[in-house]
Amino acid sequence: MTDQQTEGARAAGTLSSTRPLQQLLQHIRAFDRRRPWVWDLVVTLFWVGAALTDYASSGWRMIAQNLNVPDWQLLVLSLGFSVPLYWRRRHPMAVLLATAPFALANGWTGAILQAHFAQLIAVFNLAVLRPLKQLAPAALIVLVPLVPGALRYPLAAWDGSFGPATWGFALTALLGIAVRSRKEHLASLVEHAHRLEIERDQQAQLAAAAERTRIAREMHDIIGHNLSVITGLADGGSYAAARNPERAGQALTAIATTSRNALTELRRLLDVLGEEAPSPAAELTPAPALDDLDSLIEGVRSAGLPVLRKVEGEPIPLPAGLELTVYRVVQEALTNTLKHGGPSATSELLVSYATDAVTVTITDTGRGARTDDPRTDDHGTGRGIAGMRERTALYRGTLETGPRPAGGWRVHLRIPIPEGPTA
C-alpha cells in the first residue's frame, strides 16, 4: 500500500470515528437555532450558580482587598455580573454596559469578586458576532471601571485587577476572532461546495441538451433522407401499379427495407442517450413547441431565475420544426443566463408575431460577459451558441447574440415564416 493510500485510509478511519460526534454537534446546533433561549438560559443559570457559590463559600476572601463588604452588596454584585449574560448573544455590547457599574463597585469596595470575569463571555460573543471595531470600546468598558479600585488599593492594583482583566480581555478577544474566522471559512467552503454542486448539475444538463441537439440534427438528416427515398419509391410504385405490378411490388419491398433501415438508425441514436431504453411515454412525447414555453419558463423560475414573458401580435400556426427551433433557442438563452448571469439576474422574453416573420428577443440583467465566458464570441465558438446558429440557419433566419451596453446579455432571433405548401 502506498503512502497516499495509507493516509487516505487513515483519514477515512478518523472521519468514521468522529462522525457520531459531528452528528451530535449538528443536532445540538439545529436545536439551538430552533430554540436559542434554552441554551442562553442554561449558560446564564450556570454562571449564576458559579457566582453564588463563590459568594456563599467565601472564596472571594482569598483575593479581596476589603473583607468587610456587606453580604447584600456581595449578593447584588454576583447577580449583577451573571444575570445579564442571558442577552449575551443578542446584545453583547449592552451586556457589557449593564455590568460596567457592577465592575466599578466591585473594584471600589475591594471585594474583587471572581464573578467579574463573566464579562469576558460577553466579550467573546462580541468578537464572534459583531464587527471587530466594537472591541476597542468594549476594552474601555471592561478596563476603565477598574481604575477607581486600583487608585484606592494601589498595592494590589496590578495583580488583583488590571493584570487579569487585561490579559483575560486580550485572550478572549483573540479566541473569539479565531472562532469567527473558522466559522466564516467553513461558511465559505459550504457556499463554494453548493456552487460547485449547482454548476455540476448545470454542466450535466448542458451536456445532455447538447447531446440531444446533436441527435436531433442527425435524426433530421436520417428522417429527411429516408422519407425522400420513400416518397420517390411510393410515387414510382403508384405509377407502375397499373402497367407493371411486379415493379410495384419491388417498390413496396424497397419502401419496407428503407423504413426498417431508418428505424434501425433511429434506435441506434436513441441508444446513445443512455443505457436504459426510453420508456413508452417518452417515445410518444411530441417535440416541444411554442405552447411549451410556459412550462419551460416555470422550470427556469423554479431554478431561481425570474423571467418576464411578453407577446406582441397575434400568434399564428407555425411549422413544427420552426417552433422547435424557437423553443430551443429560448431554452439555450435562459440556460446561459442561469449559468453566467449571477445570483441576482433577471430575464425578459419578448415574442413578436408578424405576417412574414416571428421575432424572439431574450435579454437579462446579469453581471455581464467575462473574458472566459463562451457567450462573448459572436462567432459562436460556444457549443450552445453554435447550436442556436445552426438551427436558425436551417430556416434562413438570423441570430444576434452579445452583451448589452447597460450590462447583461441579449439574444435576438428572427425567422421568416415560410409560405406555400412547403410550409
Side-chain angles (χ1 to χ4, degrees):
M1 181 179 292
T2 64
D3 295 340
Q4 186 175 5
Q5 292 175 340
T6 303
E7 293 178 0
R10 187 178 304 168
T14 304
L15 181 61
S16 62
S17 62
T18 59
R19 183 168 299 171
L21 178 60
Q22 294 177 357
Q23 293 177 350
L24 177 61
L25 292 176
Q26 290 177 357
H27 289 308
I28 294 176
R29 293 190 187 101
F31 179 81
D32 184 47
R33 286 192 295 268
R34 294 193 303 269
R35 298 179 179 86
W37 63 271
V38 175
W39 180 245
D40 293 337
L41 183 61
V42 169
V43 173
T44 302
L45 291 177
F46 173 81
W47 286 104
V48 169
L52 294 179
T53 300
D54 181 56
Y55 154 69
S57 63
S58 300
W60 61 278
R61 295 177 179 274
M62 299 179 62
I63 61 172
Q65 301 300 315
N66 181 11
L67 301 180
N68 298 320
V69 181
D71 290 342
W72 68 270
Q73 290 186 4
L74 297 174
L75 179 61
V76 171
L77 290 175
S78 299
L79 296 176
F81 282 122
S82 56
V83 172
L85 292 178
Y86 181 79
W87 296 274
R88 73 193 185 282
R89 290 197 290 184
R90 286 169 288 177
H91 310 288
M93 185 63 75
V95 171
L96 290 177
L97 291 173
T99 56
F102 299 98
L104 177 62
N106 186 47
W108 180 257
T109 59
I112 316 297
L113 291 176
Q114 298 297 312
H116 78 275
F117 285 111
Q119 287 183 301
L120 299 181
I121 301 175
V123 172
F124 174 79
N125 286 272
L126 186 71
V128 172
L129 304 174
R130 294 293 183 267
L132 296 181
K133 62 183 181 181
Q134 294 187 8
L135 288 175
L140 297 177
I141 296 173
V142 172
L143 299 178
V144 169
L146 302 179
V147 175
L151 295 176
R152 189 175 185 183
Y153 305 99
L155 296 180
W158 176 255
D159 295 335
S161 56
F162 261 100
T166 302
W167 283 107
F169 181 89
L171 294 177
T172 303
L174 290 176
L175 178 62
I177 293 173
V179 172
R180 180 196 190 108
S181 300
R182 178 173 175 80
K183 284 186 175 182
E184 292 176 349
H185 179 64
L186 290 177
S188 64
L189 290 179
V190 171
E191 183 182 359
H192 181 65
H194 181 63
R195 289 200 305 267
L196 289 179
E197 290 179 358
I198 294 177
E199 291 178 1
R200 179 197 62 192
D201 295 339
Q202 290 179 347
Q203 289 294 339
Q205 294 174 2
L206 290 173
E211 184 66 12
R212 290 188 179 93
T213 301
R214 182 186 68 82
I215 292 174
R217 290 196 294 266
E218 293 187 10
M219 287 182 178
H220 175 272
D221 295 338
I222 293 171
I223 294 174
H225 170 74
N226 287 282
L227 285 180
S228 299
V229 173
I230 292 173
T231 301
L233 292 173
D235 291 340
S238 62
Y239 175 78
R243 299 173 178 266
N244 191 344
E246 182 179 355
R247 294 295 300 274
Q250 294 176 356
L252 292 176
T253 302
I255 289 175
T257 302
T258 304
S259 301
R260 292 190 188 95
N261 292 336
L263 290 175
T264 301
E265 291 294 326
L266 289 178
R267 291 192 185 98
R268 181 184 63 81
L269 291 174
L270 290 175
D271 288 340
V272 178
L273 291 175
E275 296 179 357
E276 297 181 1
S279 63
E283 293 179 353
L284 298 177
T285 302
L290 293 182
D291 293 338
D292 299 313
L293 285 179
D294 291 336
S295 59
L296 172 65
I297 292 174
E298 288 301 323
V300 173
R301 287 172 179 167
S302 63
L305 175 63
V307 180
L308 176 63
R309 181 186 179 187
K310 296 181 180 179
V311 178
E312 293 181 355
E314 186 67 22
I316 58 176
L318 298 173
L322 192 150
E323 290 197 6
L324 177 61
T325 297
V326 174
Y327 179 93
R328 294 303 186 193
V329 169
V330 173
Q331 183 184 48
E332 182 66 27
L334 295 179
T335 302
N336 285 338
T337 300
L338 276 174
K339 181 179 178 182
H340 305 286
S344 60
T346 61
S347 183
E348 179 176 336
L349 169 63
L350 174 62
V351 181
S352 300
Y353 294 92
T355 57
D356 58 340
V358 57
T359 305
V360 178
T361 304
I362 308 103
T363 57
D364 64 59
T365 60
R367 57 192 173 192
R370 308 183 306 276
T371 55
D372 59 343
D373 192 333
R375 300 181 301 173
T376 57
D377 190 349
D378 286 339
H379 298 290
T381 56
R383 296 181 180 178
I385 292 182
M388 289 193 292
R389 293 190 185 280
E390 291 176 3
R391 289 184 176 276
T392 303
L394 187 64
Y395 290 92
R396 303 181 183 275
T398 58
L399 180 70
E400 300 174 3
T401 62
R404 303 167 61 196
W409 195 263
R410 175 179 178 270
V411 175
H412 181 74
L413 170 69
R414 184 183 184 277
I415 298 182
I417 299 176
E419 299 179 355
T422 57

